[in-house]
Amino acid sequence: MADRLPYGSGRTSPQRRAIASMAEELGRAFTIDDLERALRRKGKRAGVATVYRAVAAMEESGWLERVGVRGSKALYARCDSPAHHHHLVCTSCGIVLATDCPLEFATHSAKAEHGFTVTEHDVTLYGVCRDCRPGPELGEDGD
Amino acid sequence: MADRLPYGSGRTSPQRRAIASMAEELGRAFTIDDLERALRRKGKRAGVATVYRAVAAMEESGWLERVGVRGSKALYARCDSPAHHHHLVCTSCGIVLATDCPLEFATHSAKAEHGFTVTEHDVTLYGVCRDCRPGPELGEDGD
DNA sequence: GCGTATGTGAGAATGGTTATCACATGAGGG
DNA sequence: CCCTCATGTGATAACCATTCTCACATACGC
Ligand SMILES: [Mn+2]
Ligand SMILES: [Mn+2]
Ligand SMILES: [Zn+2]
Ligand SMILES: [Zn+2]
């Protein structure tokens, strides 16, 4: 049931509505900067602090997820899947795919081999999605 | 035994020697700030730019590895294992253990299920090492 | 409608990291 | 040994993503 609200129990405002619908519309991983630029292109106006706060609120509510970094900027993507999972981020087009957590075995063996109790983990896989993969006869690199 | 040099083919200097031996001595994950503080405590002086450059050079040579972040600061640890691997970072004492890469299966299934070609990945496991785990008589919680 | 908790935004601040640039020096060649 | 100069040093400024400040606006429960 994916009718989770972008801002949970927080208030809505014209700015927040524009920000959330743009995040939805982008359909791929984006930085705060990408988001601001896209909003400006649509004539929507929102202060930088407002965008940061809206993104933080959407992340808080689970409607948005942080999916790594691009350069020195945080990367986010629309995703409200409730179960624990990780992300495949295409470095060419920015599409984000969900993938199951591959760490059950690693977690268990950390315990068995080192007595180490894993409580958190960072996992992000970067690569090239099907649509961005150069075709065999084109022999080109994208980007 | 790995007699890789901290600075590869770069020059050495009193500052670089102090920085490398402190990184060795710490024996756990550290931030640039930790490193500077430890040096100062030993009466060694090195400008902030020098420490950053030395750490970058040691990382470049493979003598040091970046093992995630603590708050907003990059975390490093002494590690010159040449094979691909990841890290168990104890959030209590900062000890760093190496662990095999758990992603062969994830990489293959990303390809099989999504046509996604994984080219890079971030994996860091955080938790509590054996020595930092509270003893059973102290009121354990089993995770 | 009212009151107030909450959102907005221009600008300043923060803080980790990097760039500048004048000066010092390690180390290889002579 | 000594020169030389590529490379390292460090005080300082700059960078830049992100957060804070604070006066003002407004969503929304009552
Ligand atoms: Mn997700
Ligand atoms: Mn390592
Ligand atoms: Zn996981
Ligand atoms: Zn790996």
Side-chain angles (χ1 to χ4, degrees):
Chain A
M1 39 171 34
D3 42 23
R4 205 196 296 235
L5 295 169
Y7 300 103
S9 59
R11 290 185 185 171
T12 95
S13 70
Q15 293 90 335
R16 288 192 157 193
R17 269 187 289 273
I19 292 166
S21 84
M22 182 55 74
E24 183 87 71
E25 192 172 327
L26 284 174
R28 55 191 186 79
F30 58 86
T31 63
I32 298 282
D33 206 59
D34 294 335
L35 191 49
E36 283 192 289
R37 227 193 304 283
L39 286 167
R40 221 170 301 122
R41 212 177 304 124
K42 279 242 168 150
K44 309 288 184 181
R45 160 179 295 259
V48 54
T50 296
V51 178
Y52 273 97
R53 281 183 296 229
V55 166
M58 292 187 287
E59 191 184 5
E60 174 72 24
S61 81
W63 195 81
L64 210 61
E65 271 183 277
R66 196 173 191 283
V67 295
V69 293
R70 184 198 297 150
S72 57
K73 301 174 185 174
L75 259 193
Y76 297 90
R78 182 68 234 290
C79 178
D80 52 9
S81 174
H84 177 71
H85 63 281
H86 299 281
H87 300 98
L88 307 171
V89 180
C90 178
T91 53
S92 172
C93 70
I95 198 175
V96 175
L97 304 168
T99 187
D100 289 340
C101 178
L103 295 189
E104 297 88 43
F105 181 75
T107 295
H108 286 127
S109 70
K111 177 80 116 199
E113 291 171 25
H114 300 109
F116 192 98
T117 306
V118 174
T119 57
E120 273 185 272
H121 53 257
D122 288 343
V123 175
T124 307
L125 285 67
Y126 298 95
V128 182
C129 75
R130 186 188 345 244
D131 298 338
C132 288
R133 184 175 43 191
E137 75 277 87
L138 291 175
E140 314 222 353
D141 58 278
D143 193 79
Chain B
M1 174 158 310
D3 40 23
R4 204 197 296 235
L5 295 168
Y7 300 103
S9 58
R11 289 187 186 168
T12 110
S13 70
Q15 293 90 335
R16 288 192 156 193
R17 270 187 289 273
I19 292 167
S21 84
M22 182 55 74
E24 184 88 70
E25 191 172 326
L26 284 174
R28 55 191 184 78
F30 57 87
T31 63
I32 298 283
D33 206 60
D34 294 336
L35 191 49
E36 283 192 288
R37 226 193 306 282
L39 286 168
R40 222 169 299 122
R41 211 177 305 124
K42 279 241 167 149
K44 311 286 185 182
R45 23 186 34 255
V48 52
T50 296
V51 178
Y52 273 97
R53 280 183 298 230
V55 166
M58 293 187 287
E59 191 185 5
E60 174 73 24
S61 82
W63 195 81
L64 209 60
E65 270 183 277
R66 196 174 191 283
V67 295
V69 294
R70 183 198 298 150
S72 58
K73 302 174 184 172
L75 259 192
Y76 297 90
R78 180 71 234 290
C79 178
D80 53 9
S81 174
H84 177 72
H85 63 282
H86 300 281
H87 300 98
L88 306 172
V89 180
C90 179
T91 53
S92 171
C93 71
I95 199 176
V96 175
L97 305 168
T99 187
D100 289 339
C101 179
L103 295 189
E104 298 87 43
F105 180 75
T107 294
H108 285 127
S109 69
K111 178 79 116 198
E113 291 171 25
H114 301 110
F116 192 98
T117 306
V118 174
T119 57
E120 274 186 90
H121 53 256
D122 288 343
V123 175
T124 308
L125 284 67
Y126 298 97
V128 182
C129 75
R130 185 187 348 244
D131 298 338
C132 289
R133 184 175 43 191
E137 72 282 5
L138 293 176
E140 69 168 333
D141 64 277
D143 183 32

